[in-house]
Amino acid sequence: MEERELIARCQAGDEAAFEALVRMHEKRVYALCRRMCRSEDDALEAAQDAFLAVWRGIGSFREDAAFSTWLYRLATNACLDLLRREKKRSLDVSLDDEEARLDPVDAAPQPEEAALRAETRRMVREGLYALPDDYREVLLLRETEQLSYQEIADITGLELGTVKSRISRARLALRNYLTANGNFFERASSKVTECNRKEAECK
Amino acid sequence: MQVNTHEKYQELLSALLDGELTDAEREDALAHLDGCEACRIYFAELNAMRGAFAEPEDIPAPDGFAEGVMARLHEEDAKKVSAFPAAAKPRGTWRKWGALAACAAVVVLAASVLPNAMRMGSSGAPETVMSVQSIAPAMAPPDALRDAAAEDTEENAVLTGSAYNAESAAADTAAPEAPLTPAGAATAAESKQYVTSDAGVSVSIVTSGPEGDNVCPELTLCGAGAAEWLADNGWQGESGEWYADAASLRALPEGLTFDEDAALWLADYEGAVRVTAEETEAAP
């Protein structure tokens, strides 16, 4: 069933339609929450919070608005709220266990390139968790969700210029972290070629 | 380091990476890359990081997720309880504590371990306490503290106990210590706002916990780019909080502010300061 139809039914109180809407977007929302929040439990709670917010707010959702923008906003807000609450309690999470479940465990020995890629991804993930929540938020929306600056501005409620500068600062912070913690840039250097500039020219 | 001269280009290069520049900006950025080795390296680093971000589809949703949502939905309906605690509360609470803590001259800067191996010398502690006491306005009645404490039990545990201790300690030490000039005290008594106003400025002074938790003075940095400045000039502690050196806080760029009265104790203080950044245009 089409999304618009589902939304209309939700607005009329149709719970079955809402459940269908959840299934339609659960993967994307959960994945974002999982990257924003370090632990699986937090991600699950935030993702649920996001959808509950959808249900509560669907009555005032304008038909002409983009549902995904609104959903992203609710998801990132749910994560930020939860992270703020968690910081106050300073939960002691077993991070190694949580981290291990992010990547599927591959029993067969990986070819060197794949191992390298997994390693650099892990380093970036660590770096992301080390960043302030606001920086992590915009970087995930840009790099993982691949949203435009304008879309990110719509979701976060920030000015376009602020989105631009915040993403830049977030990248700088991540780069500083990666430089200080391990040899990310040495390991990733095989991917960094002079084609970068040519790539930029082609854009 | 030459980073400052390339700050403008760091942002341009970041936007170049995303294809979000105007034609004129692109020309500018590419021309700069031609002549600047440092920026070429930086741009390469941005690309390297991009390549290491995971694909969106990598993470599956847990089994039974939708059922879980529906279950919570019915649970909420049954209990008629809101699922969303007021997000503004933590910040609001800190502001309130900032106001009352300051009013009651409750400042206990324990000479305990600070993050990043920066320590307050024992000579630093009495000086700082003195200077803050001198700027503190008249003490608030203990009732005000109790009322505020009742609203948030989490803050209670950390602050209330030592608030009363410090109050009596301040009373003991205030007389013999001969605080800074009466003029300073008088100015403070007219007092600027300690609570957060529309300008978004506040000062929270953290007291030590009963177990001697790690503490250091704290302030809130406001303005567009506050978080960015903090990321560039500060460092993060283990719980994710940010700190900056007092010296760097005394040399802020234009547009970033904190409460004027914080400047009084900051003038004499050396070492780490816990900083909370408040972007003034961010949605609450």
Side-chain angles (χ1 to χ4, degrees):
Chain A
M1 187 173 293
E2 217 191 79
E3 188 179 86
R4 288 274 165 227
E5 170 92 39
L6 284 176
I7 291 169
R9 290 198 181 191
C10 286
Q11 287 173 326
D14 185 342
E15 280 189 16
F18 173 64
E19 189 169 341
L21 200 59
V22 171
R23 288 181 197 282
M24 198 181 266
H25 295 286
E26 63 184 10
K27 196 162 152 55
R28 202 72 175 215
V29 168
Y30 179 74
L32 178 62
C33 294
R34 190 70 179 84
R35 296 191 166 99
M36 270 296 290
C37 309
R38 191 155 199 164
S39 83
E40 265 191 30
D41 291 342
D42 284 353
L44 187 62
E45 187 180 335
Q48 287 177 345
D49 287 348
F51 282 112
L52 287 173
V54 168
W55 179 247
R56 279 195 182 74
I58 198 89
S60 49
F61 178 73
R62 293 189 332 273
E63 279 180 15
D64 57 341
F67 182 72
S68 65
T69 302
W70 186 51
L71 182 57
Y72 270 124
R73 179 188 282 237
L74 294 177
T76 55
N77 284 348
C79 291
L80 293 172
D81 290 350
L82 188 142
L83 288 171
R84 263 196 290 267
R85 298 199 300 271
E86 291 297 298
K87 279 199 169 73
K88 298 193 72 180
R89 280 184 248 138
S90 301
L91 283 186
D92 188 25
V93 181
S94 173
L95 297 170
D96 290 332
D97 293 339
E98 303 293 356
E99 283 299 312
R101 275 178 280 188
L102 257 187
D103 286 329
V105 175
D106 196 358
Q110 291 176 313
E112 202 179 306
E113 200 192 304
L116 182 65
R117 194 166 65 241
E119 175 67 7
T120 54
R121 281 192 181 180
R122 187 194 62 78
M123 287 170 157
V124 163
R125 205 165 56 233
E126 281 298 317
L128 279 172
Y129 287 137
L131 294 181
D133 299 340
D134 292 350
Y135 280 15
R136 189 179 329 117
E137 180 191 13
V138 293
L139 265 190
L140 287 176
L141 292 175
R142 175 74 276 276
E143 295 282 16
T144 307
E145 303 300 321
Q146 293 173 6
L147 300 168
S148 71
Y149 286 7
Q150 186 57 57
E151 286 169 321
I152 296 171
D154 292 340
I155 288 165
T156 58
L158 298 169
E159 296 287 325
L160 194 60
T162 307
V163 169
K164 186 169 162 181
S165 66
R166 188 171 292 188
I167 288 175
S168 178
R169 300 293 184 152
R171 283 177 169 144
L172 178 65
L174 180 61
R175 182 269 229 147
N176 290 346
Y177 174 90
L178 290 172
T179 305
N181 293 275
N183 52 357
F184 174 86
F185 290 107
E186 285 80 4
R187 309 202 75 182
S189 67
S190 54
K191 299 185 181 198
V192 170
T193 67
E194 278 168 16
C195 292
N196 280 341
R197 188 171 173 281
K198 292 213 178 90
E199 202 179 282
E201 276 170 331
C202 290
K203 275 202 174 111
Chain B
M1 203 195 153
Q2 294 127 355
V3 170
N4 286 338
T5 61
H6 300 281
E7 249 173 50
K8 167 195 169 193
Y9 285 105
Q10 280 171 357
E11 191 174 305
L12 272 183
L13 294 176
S14 170
L16 179 68
L17 186 73
D18 297 327
E20 296 258 5
L21 293 180
T22 63
D23 288 344
E25 288 171 327
R26 245 183 85 236
E27 291 297 316
D28 184 11
L30 292 174
H32 180 78
L33 276 180
D34 255 338
C36 181
E37 170 77 6
C39 283
R40 276 201 296 278
I41 292 172
Y42 185 70
F43 191 64
E45 290 171 339
L46 294 186
N47 268 289
M49 293 193 300
R50 157 157 296 181
F53 274 86
E55 297 297 308
E57 283 76 40
D58 279 0
I59 299 173
D63 286 339
F65 178 81
E67 287 85 347
V69 173
M70 299 314 289
R72 258 189 79 183
L73 195 153
H74 297 131
E75 199 178 280
E76 304 293 338
D77 282 347
K79 286 185 197 166
K80 296 201 196 301
V81 171
S82 167
F84 299 95
K89 192 169 180 229
R91 268 164 54 186
T93 307
W94 277 116
R95 288 174 194 156
K96 189 186 299 269
W97 275 109
L100 290 164
C103 286
V106 200
V107 180
V108 177
L109 300 172
S112 55
V113 177
L114 294 177
N116 208 36
M118 297 193 88
R119 291 172 179 274
M120 260 164 46
S122 52
S123 56
E127 265 175 17
T128 316
V129 171
M130 214 167 64
S131 59
V132 177
Q133 282 183 3
S134 72
I135 66 170
M139 299 206 179
D143 288 343
L145 277 173
R146 271 195 284 272
D147 289 344
E151 288 185 26
D152 191 329
T153 53
E154 284 170 295
E155 302 309 328
N156 223 353
V158 174
L159 292 171
T160 318
S162 48
Y164 287 108
N165 292 338
E167 214 178 314
S168 46
D172 290 340
T173 58
E177 281 292 354
L180 297 179
T181 67
T187 313
E190 279 141 32
S191 218
K192 328 283 182 188
Q193 282 282 73
Y194 280 90
V195 294
T196 303
S197 65
D198 287 343
V201 178
S202 73
V203 168
S204 300
I205 303 186
V206 181
T207 66
S208 72
E211 284 85 40
D213 299 336
N214 295 343
V215 295
C216 67
E218 176 180 309
L219 58 75
T220 302
L221 185 66
C222 298
E228 291 82 345
W229 180 91
L230 191 54
D232 286 350
N233 294 276
W235 65 91
Q236 257 189 319
E238 348 175 277
S239 310
E241 294 113 353
W242 284 84
Y243 301 88
D245 188 71
S248 66
L249 285 164
R250 288 193 285 267
L252 285 175
E254 214 183 314
L256 296 182
T257 60
F258 50 84
D259 192 281
E260 278 178 36
D261 294 297
L264 286 174
W265 61 257
L266 190 65
D268 294 319
Y269 177 68
E270 293 300 332
V273 178
R274 190 177 142 187
V275 182
T276 310
E278 199 160 285
E279 293 281 344
T280 48
E281 69 267 73

